Amino acid sequence: MAKKLSWGSNFSIEDLRVDYEDDIYGNFPFLNLVGLEMNKVNEFRVGDNTVRGTKDTVSQKIVGLTGSLLYGWDRTSWPIPFLPIGDVKEAFDRRHTLKVCRENKAVKEVPSARYERVFPSNGGILNSFSDHSILTMAAMWGNVFGPIVEDTKDYMFETACVSIIRGEVDKHEEDLLTRPFVRDLLRHMGCYTRYNDNTTVIERIVTKVVDALKDPEKVVGQLTINNNEEDIDKFISESDEWQAHNTENDSYKFVVIPLQDNISFAFTYAERLLTTVCKNEAEDPKVTIEGTLPPKVTKVLLWNKENSNNAKKIVASRIKFKEKLNQGWQTRRDNVLAPIENILNPTIVDSYRKKLSDLNLEIWCMNQLDDEDEPFEMAFDTEE
């Protein structure tokens, strides 16, 4: 355990075992470290815990830090980072540390790191974002490059992106509700580093962000692409990852669903898909000389056939299909489990409460809006 600098011992920045080379924000392009200093513990303002989706701190982390900070400051620990905004010192990381220190009567001052905004030549529209948005990005960056990278979860990236875009979207003429922009935002939060450039995980996060923000009303008048059935046929025939409807290979069973903005059609196609997936999952596993093969995944391609020239209806049809798919699955599942809920321990019953995302199922949306650069996987489970 590193040596503690005791509270009340009048220790200073010079007693720390960290310097500019330890700055985890050194490669974050929108902030620059001005210097390290001591500040009174109550001088900082702490905003909402946006990256964790909460307004306050997380109790589990508080418990661990309370013991760690009881008698002093770990001299190898990076100081509390803050950005002066007017007369306010805005702390954008180490929120739990700061809260514990404030509740310890022995703590009067804490080590802190003063930062300033910088505006890199390649910063683009992000240079015009508010201090709050930049600090939300920086907080995610700090989580990724901090001591416990595993603490940074995908939902934190989603929450941070949604919060930033909602706060900025009406301030700029540039369209922020696009997959390329969300990717760029995630890149500046360290997301690509966090997941080792795993595009499957990253694209799933992008989809959840766009789904949370893309209201059908907001795409009215947007140009559409891949409007004709010939476009879909051409895409499938030229793709190494897709095959025609109702065909299969060694890994997948392919389904193509022609959506339209109609609740009855959404219900019908959702029910058909659930029946297909359940039948596929019920098939006996195939045994070969090499061993038992994993079950095949039902891989679905959604495209709006009837409303292919109407961006609003394309987005609305996806939403309706997702809603009906979840309603259909949850009704089936909960009805099956209902008779045993009064017999078994609820915890045991919940362990058998299979989520929609537990099925061997992938659902992809054909890119039909002009800001969708390729087909993307739908985050279809509303219980996640």
Side-chain angles (χ1 to χ4, degrees), residues 72-129:
W73 182 273
D74 181 340
R75 63 180 180 174
T76 64
S77 179
W78 187 251
I80 293 171
F82 74 94
L83 177 73
I85 302 177
D87 296 329
V88 176
K89 296 174 180 176
E90 186 82 17
F92 56 89
D93 200 1
R94 309 296 301 277
R95 303 174 75 257
H96 297 87
T97 297
L98 193 54
K99 181 170 184 176
V100 169
C101 288
R102 282 176 168 172
E103 293 175 352
N104 187 335
K105 294 182 179 180
V107 181
K108 307 302 180 186
E109 292 185 327
V110 290
S112 54
R114 179 185 293 264
Y115 289 83
E116 62 183 358
R117 280 282 301 266
V118 291
F119 305 88
S121 59
N122 62 348
I125 194 173
L126 296 176
N127 280 337
S128 62
F129 275 21

Side-chain angles (χ1 to χ4, degrees), residues 124-126 168-169 171-178 181:
I125 194 173
L126 296 176
E168 300 287 345
V169 67
K171 302 176 184 178
H172 308 277
E173 293 184 2
E174 183 174 333
D175 187 4
L176 306 184
L177 302 182
T178 68
F181 177 77

Side-chain angles (χ1 to χ4, degrees), residues 78-330:
W78 187 251
I80 293 171
F82 74 94
L83 177 73
I85 302 177
D87 296 329
V88 176
K89 296 174 180 176
E90 186 82 17
F92 56 89
D93 200 1
R94 309 296 301 277
R95 303 174 75 257
H96 297 87
T97 297
L98 193 54
K99 181 170 184 176
V100 169
C101 288
R102 282 176 168 172
E103 293 175 352
N104 187 335
K105 294 182 179 180
V107 181
K108 307 302 180 186
E109 292 185 327
V110 290
S112 54
R114 179 185 293 264
Y115 289 83
E116 62 183 358
R117 280 282 301 266
V118 291
F119 305 88
S121 59
N122 62 348
I125 194 173
L126 296 176
N127 280 337
S128 62
F129 275 21
S130 69
D131 290 337
H132 180 268
S133 294
I134 295 299
L135 294 187
T136 300
M137 293 165 58
M140 285 304 306
W141 181 280
N143 284 348
V144 172
F145 294 97
I148 309 177
V149 65
E150 292 79 10
D151 273 359
T152 312
K153 310 297 185 183
D154 54 359
Y155 78 86
M156 297 179 186
F157 288 108
E158 297 159 22
T159 303
C161 283
V162 169
S163 174
I164 290 170
I165 294 174
R166 279 181 176 158
E168 300 287 345
V169 67
D170 293 329
K171 302 176 184 178
H172 308 277
E173 293 184 2
E174 183 174 333
D175 187 4
L176 306 184
L177 302 182
T178 68
R179 298 181 72 85
F181 177 77
V182 176
R183 292 185 194 114
D184 190 47
L185 198 56
L186 289 171
R187 189 171 287 106
H188 285 101
M189 293 182 186
C191 185
Y192 283 75
T193 299
R194 167 65 179 91
Y195 294 109
N196 298 315
D197 291 320
N198 185 327
T199 55
T200 299
V201 175
I202 294 168
E203 287 302 307
R204 192 171 294 130
I205 295 172
V206 172
T207 296
K208 289 185 177 181
V209 172
V210 173
D211 279 356
L213 293 165
K214 187 158 275 189
D215 185 328
E217 296 297 334
K218 292 185 180 295
V219 299
V220 172
Q222 187 169 336
L223 297 178
T224 60
I225 56 176
N226 292 320
N227 313 93
N228 305 306
E229 192 162 0
E230 293 79 12
D231 299 326
I232 308 305
D233 293 340
K234 183 174 184 292
F235 163 76
I236 291 175
S237 66
E238 294 178 352
S239 173
D240 294 329
E241 299 179 354
W242 290 94
Q243 289 183 191
H245 174 65
N246 205 26
T247 63
E248 59 185 274
N249 59 22
D250 291 340
S251 301
Y252 295 100
K253 296 189 175 187
F254 296 93
V255 177
V256 179
I257 297 179
L259 294 179
Q260 60 175 278
D261 183 24
N262 181 294
I263 200 71
S264 296
F265 274 83
F267 172 79
T268 299
Y269 281 114
E271 291 296 308
R272 287 180 184 176
L273 177 59
L274 287 173
T275 299
T276 298
V277 174
C278 289
K279 284 182 177 179
N280 290 345
E281 300 231 339
E283 290 181 357
D284 293 332
K286 187 175 181 179
V287 180
T288 67
I289 297 176
E290 291 77 17
T292 302
L293 297 178
K296 292 185 179 182
V297 174
T298 303
K299 190 171 183 179
V300 181
L301 182 65
L302 304 178
W303 77 285
N304 190 304
K305 179 180 180 180
E306 296 299 322
N307 319 117
S308 61
N309 295 313
N310 188 318
K312 176 182 176 180
K313 288 181 176 293
I314 289 172
V315 173
S317 67
R318 295 169 179 172
I319 294 173
K320 288 181 173 69
F321 179 79
K322 180 176 176 178
E323 289 175 351
K324 289 304 175 185
L325 188 70
N326 279 270
Q327 289 174 10
W329 171 252
Q330 291 166 21

